[in-house]
Amino acid sequence: MHATSDATSDATGVAAGEEPGRIAKARRRVGPYTLITALDDPHTRVPVPERRYIARSTDGQHTVLLSLPLPGADRQRFLAEADGSRYLLGPCAAPATALAGPGEPAWYSRPYLPVLPLPTALAVHGGPLPERTVRALGAALAETLAVLHGQGLTFAGVSPAAVLLAADGPRLSCFGAVRAAAPDGTERSGVPGLEAGSLPPEQASGGRPRPLGDVYALGATLAYAATGHTTPEREEIPAALRAVVGRCLSRDPGVRPQLAEIIAELGEGTVPAGAPGRLPGRVIAALAHQSAAVLTADIPVEAPPAPPTGPLPHPQPHPHSS
């Protein structure tokens, strides 16, 4: 059964006013899924490039992370980037596994695992993340970006909201958010869904996204994780991270470090991002709470269509060949 336009337009209201992980009372359908709850905190001031939900298939067999375009966004560009994400590789990649069909409201999905968007994780933790967590996060994201760049791709969507923290390491979502937001040559400053501090200057002015733009966005995202905002004063950044983050945030792409340098600097002696104790305790507790809430969500399950009743038709005889 396809979603109606009303289902999509009402989707934002499913969890409006709810905290992440709380289960919505009203249920809405999008494509083959029933929405359970919003993934993002509606009170966050950090822009999110798409509307994201935890949802379950109407047969009850699959739980997914479901993404919808922002109101007014270009459906075709949104779906084109979602389709491109299906081929992403790398330890933190989060490729789409299903997309809307022709004539449906735009959506795409990927398998669910308990995750918190980075802004939500800071809110749960009560402030910036510990330096050890930021270092592990940066190394893991840089490794994934290096793989994507080796595929000849530019992520063009790294931002605090794009980073999802899971118990076994981060996931990088919102592939192509910059490209989807506006075509090349169009100024992107102030475009809804794009976080200004993590938008590379050359892309904000309409330039084509290139790999060193991902490096800038990574630096801004790590600055956010370490300080609570993407454009901190240099002194606010922990001393051990100051040099590498500062180089990432250079307005001149040629001054930004290569990903191999970032991996070497952040990864030296760092416990992997998914290792026990790497995430703060409150973040781990919030992930466990979300998992339990989703597992126990009471979602109506549609029964499969009943088989036809009555006598079966007699087979027609096949004509003999001459």
Side-chain angles (χ1 to χ4, degrees), residues 47-309:
V48 184
E50 54 194 34
R51 297 177 293 164
R52 302 185 294 195
Y53 300 91
I54 302 170
R56 188 164 296 150
S57 60
T58 51
D59 62 5
Q61 297 300 306
H62 304 285
T63 304
V64 300
L65 295 175
L66 183 73
S67 293
L68 312 177
L70 296 178
D74 186 287
R75 176 186 185 276
Q76 294 303 322
R77 286 204 302 267
F78 174 83
L79 288 177
E81 296 301 332
D83 186 56
S85 79
R86 294 189 300 152
Y87 307 101
L88 298 181
L89 303 175
C92 302
T97 54
L99 286 81
E104 281 190 271
W107 60 265
Y108 73 89
S109 67
R110 59 177 67 92
Y112 167 74
L113 76 164
V115 291
L116 293 182
L118 184 57
T120 303
L122 265 67
V124 166
H125 179 59
L129 298 179
E131 182 184 320
R132 67 179 187 277
T133 303
V134 178
R135 292 177 67 89
L137 175 66
L141 295 177
E143 288 174 4
T144 291
L145 289 174
V147 173
L148 300 184
H149 293 175
Q151 291 181 266
L153 301 173
T154 299
F155 194 88
V158 180
S159 70
V163 176
L164 305 178
L165 299 187
D168 63 348
R171 300 295 189 276
L172 192 52
S173 65
C174 301
F175 175 77
V178 173
R179 290 185 294 262
D184 294 346
T186 303
E187 187 172 339
R188 300 184 179 96
S189 297
V191 172
L194 297 184
E195 201 283 314
S198 51
L199 186 61
E202 64 273 20
Q203 294 177 19
S205 61
R208 178 183 177 185
R210 296 185 183 279
L212 285 172
D214 285 347
V215 173
Y216 182 98
L218 174 62
T221 298
L222 296 182
Y224 176 85
T227 69
H229 47 102
T230 53
T231 55
E233 297 294 333
R234 179 178 172 82
E235 294 71 24
E236 295 179 73
I237 304 172
L241 301 172
R242 200 169 292 160
V244 65
V245 170
R247 288 181 63 203
C248 289
L249 292 175
S250 172
R251 295 185 65 84
D252 180 357
V255 178
R256 297 170 197 162
Q258 297 296 313
L259 288 168
E261 298 176 62
I262 299 173
I263 295 168
E265 185 158 346
L266 295 180
E268 185 176 357
T270 298
V271 178
R278 184 52 55 202
L279 289 177
R282 289 183 179 179
V283 174
I284 291 292
L287 290 170
H289 174 76
Q290 181 194 97
S291 178
V294 170
L295 184 65
T296 58
D298 184 16
I299 304 297
V301 175
E302 290 187 3
T309 59

